[in-house]
Amino acid sequence: MLKEIGGGITAPKGFMAAGVKAGIKKSGKEDIALIYSKTPASAAALFTTNAMAAAPVIVSRQAVKHGTARAIVINSGCANACTGPQGLADARTMAELTATVLGVAPHEVLVASTGIIGVHLPMDKIAAGIKQAAAELSETGQEKALQAIMTTDTFPKSCAYEFMLSGVPVRIGGMAKGAGMIHPNMATMLAFVTTDAAVAAPVLQKALIEAVNLSFNMISVDGDTSTNDMVGVLANGQAGAPVIDNADSEEYRIFAAALKAVCINLAKQIVRDGEGATKFLEITVTGAETFSQAKQAAMAVAKSPLVKTAFFGEDPNWGRILCAVGYSGVPVQSEKTALAIGGIPIVRSGMATSFDEQALRKVMSARDIAITIDLGLGPAAATVWTCDFSYEYVKINGEYHT
Amino acid sequence: MLKEIGGGITAPKGFMAAGVKAGIKKSGKEDIALIYSKTPASAAALFTTNAMAAAPVIVSRQAVKHGTARAIVINSGCANACTGPQGLADARTMAELTATVLGVAPHEVLVASTGIIGVHLPMDKIAAGIKQAAAELSETGQEKALQAIMTTDTFPKSCAYEFMLSGVPVRIGGMAKGAGMIHPNMATMLAFVTTDAAVAAPVLQKALIEAVNLSFNMISVDGDTSTNDMVGVLANGQAGAPVIDNADSEEYRIFAAALKAVCINLAKQIVRDGEGATKFLEITVTGAETFSQAKQAAMAVAKSPLVKTAFFGEDPNWGRILCAVGYSGVPVQSEKTALAIGGIPIVRSGMATSFDEQALRKVMSARDIAITIDLGLGPAAATVWTCDFSYEYVKINGEYHT
């Protein structure tokens, strides 16, 4: 059983955090975050699949191969993407500076950046900020760390849970930032998870892949994938529970469920904060032949600008939903397809039912709306989360001038 | 050499058209169009790949297998999609009614519909409208036929060319409607081409596939593919030029180029009329290993809501363009990638150049903007066309209430 608790990434034992104002952001707000484990932690991470991967992604991808880490340093205000060899050197320097001040090895530091692209990091400010962040590390530093990773996010995103593992209370916490594409250039979805469970690195990586596949990979704000996306997890074992090194064990199952809960919690917060979002849409496809087909159909609906603008307008435009399912590439059959919005059956056997229009209007006026599409073809299901498409989205993304 | 002429679909010899007000559209405007060839014509057509294909698509797909046709009947105001067995019977009846009044076989009539989905055709109005359209068929009927296929289109779309084939002047004309997704439910992209060239049906189908692959398949307004999309072509041979029955001949090459010109002309008109569009964007990817990779990268840019809102805001946000290329799935290499907007080099070797900002601002303020991305990997190129994403798009698609 998972119990939700406070404290975010510093809820698990042995983790400290800090967030400082290094002067990278024009706004003058916090822009360097540091997460530190007092003892060596197993590390796992997943990175953007974008072929234009940013320098910090390249550096962290190499570092995490060692399987252990002590710290994660993150800056906002500059993505260090499309910055060539100089950018790569800067990302390495960021890790080295952090390693030196913390007294750990450079490969024990993961690096992440978010913000403007095509611009070099102000390394003097980065260096001073890292020193200050290390000096300010504390068990209560997560609030400022949360501020330091935000860009266009309108609220900080964190969560933490406590659960029993082999009779020992164990904690897991996480923080994340936005997925709405970011002023001025692109989104970056960053998420960092800490836990005082003891988990061998390969098993941690497996659990992370499973969790991300059902959380961050199941959300869509506008379909764009950033150059800087990264999800990292550190497990330092400070809770004292036995090491999980077997992915077939009951302990693994319990830990993986907790990690999944953290990731889903954070992923939903990201969608709720989608740029200009006025609606939170949960789209479930059932009756698919495979999970991947269910996801493919649900994602086609979630990404359709027509569906998203219709929900913004509170219009239960079922034709656009079926149309998106139809072009998703999944071999659906019109006459087997059913659709419900907010539990109200709208379409059966591919045709409109005579639904209660007033009840449906009430459903459509809510902030949270559940859409269920039954393909009638098999046993598999998938749920994705997205938001609507508003004037505000166009404003945020169209009115900024570089 | 192609010479642009007037007359659209009735420019070629032996074709007549009509458009009548049958009362299907609430606006009371023209809503049934009829295209008629005085003599049997070779027929070819391509249809939506949407698995929820509408009833008229199913009927026309069967009809065109015969290889010859005499007429195309189109209604707007009702898409006859998601209408079950009754919808299929109605589409067949539409073909039969048209065949009867024209004295041809039902399988010689192609049927197309566009408009609201999930609603049955008003068959009494359809029947009366078809009779009236047949009575009003004329060599000058294309203007009204153009009106009758429009839905949210803000201007009628047609073109025609004359060219020499085996020493004989030959004509080809076309008309099309919208691709912005349509009030209240979905887009339908419809295009119909007539020619007085003589072309064997299999060769005509081949030429149509080639032309569509470089025109209608290279445009994106909002990425949604309709249930009703259809492109049809009739070739009646009335110009008197020898039959083209060999796709390796010089005559084929000339005819195929003319058909491609008609399709590209119409496709560009559709993009210009994209819902809420304020910009016409031509995106060319060069230096790809294959055409399909070039197209994939160009389409990722064309479909990115972030890129489209940036151009609406006249912001030369090159980061968003490179980001879209990066997630397109094409194995690009950042350090080999170059980008130019309006001929001004912005990115070289994956990094920003020191470009003339004032010159770029001028380029961005124009209605038509050319974007060129060089992947630096191979010899292949592709060009796609799209429009920007404006407040007006959200308004058109969000404010309608079903």
Side-chain angles (χ1 to χ4, degrees), chain B residues 359-371:
Chain B
L360 185 58
R361 254 195 299 278
K362 200 177 162 195
V363 163
M364 292 299 292
S365 68
R367 160 110 199 168
D368 291 17
I369 304 173
I371 299 138

Side-chain angles (χ1 to χ4, degrees), chain B residues 76-330:
Chain B
S76 55
C78 173
N80 193 11
C82 299
T83 44
Q86 180 64 48
L88 204 55
D90 288 347
R92 288 209 178 96
T93 302
M94 243 178 107
E96 282 158 15
L97 289 167
T98 307
T100 303
V101 72
L102 294 176
V104 302
H107 71 254
E108 291 181 304
V109 179
L110 304 184
V111 183
S113 298
T114 177
I116 205 171
I117 84 155
V119 171
H120 291 292
L121 285 172
M123 289 307 293
D124 50 341
K125 291 176 180 173
I126 294 278
I130 288 172
K131 270 186 196 162
Q132 190 191 339
E136 293 186 14
L137 278 171
S138 79
E139 267 92 8
T140 57
Q142 75 121 356
E143 293 294 338
K144 283 190 177 172
L146 278 175
Q147 294 295 326
I149 64 169
M150 285 168 69
T151 54
T152 52
D153 301 67
T154 64
F155 59 84
K157 297 163 189 71
S158 74
C159 70
Y161 296 101
E162 189 172 273
F163 58 103
M164 299 301 288
L165 204 58
S166 313
V168 177
V170 166
R171 291 176 162 198
I172 187 166
M175 70 178 189
K177 73 158 295 295
M181 296 281 127
I182 299 310
H183 161 111
N185 269 318
M186 59 183 59
T188 291
M189 205 286 299
L190 296 179
F192 304 102
V193 179
T194 56
T195 179
D196 49 22
V199 189
V203 172
L204 189 62
Q205 183 74 22
K206 180 176 158 62
L208 183 64
I209 292 168
E210 290 174 6
V212 168
N213 279 344
L214 293 173
S215 57
F216 301 113
N217 285 351
M218 298 301 267
I219 62 174
S220 169
V221 172
D222 53 17
D224 282 28
T225 311
S226 148
T227 52
N228 288 54
D229 291 343
M230 170 174 171
V231 181
V233 53
L234 301 183
N236 69 3
Q238 289 298 296
V243 179
I244 300 170
D245 54 8
N246 176 1
D248 291 325
S249 64
E250 176 66 7
E251 288 70 31
Y252 174 83
R253 203 193 54 72
I254 293 169
F255 173 75
L259 181 58
K260 192 176 87 171
V262 168
C263 290
I264 287 179
N265 187 317
L266 295 174
K268 286 185 177 179
Q269 290 189 53
I270 287 170
V271 170
R272 283 191 189 280
D273 202 13
E275 284 173 356
T278 73
K279 301 284 182 190
F280 177 83
L281 309 176
E282 179 169 280
I283 301 165
T284 301
V285 169
T286 62
E289 288 181 6
T290 63
F291 169 80
S292 113
Q293 291 197 341
K295 179 183 172 182
Q296 194 176 333
M299 272 293 180
V301 176
K303 288 183 176 179
S304 162
L306 284 179
V307 170
K308 290 158 84 81
T309 47
F311 276 93
F312 169 61
E314 301 192 347
D315 177 23
N317 199 318
W318 58 270
R320 292 186 184 171
I321 297 172
L322 289 198
C323 182
V325 171
Y327 68 68
S328 67
V330 177

Side-chain angles (χ1 to χ4, degrees), chain A residues 50-51 117-118 181 184-185 224-225 304 306 309 313 315 317 319-320 323 326-327 391 395 397-402, chain B residues 50-51 117 181 184-186 224-225 304 306 309 313 315 317-320 323 326-327 391 395 397-402:
Chain A
N50 194 305
I117 85 156
M181 297 280 126
N185 268 317
D224 281 28
T225 309
S304 162
L306 284 179
T309 47
D315 177 23
N317 199 319
R320 291 186 185 172
C323 182
Y327 67 68
Y391 294 118
K395 188 178 162 74
N397 287 297
E399 288 201 346
Y400 178 83
H401 282 247
T402 39
Chain B
N50 194 305
I117 84 155
M181 296 281 127
N185 269 318
M186 59 183 59
D224 282 28
T225 311
S304 162
L306 284 179
T309 47
D315 177 23
N317 199 318
W318 58 270
R320 292 186 184 171
C323 182
Y327 68 68
Y391 294 118
K395 188 179 161 74
N397 287 297
E399 288 200 345
Y400 178 84
H401 283 246
T402 40

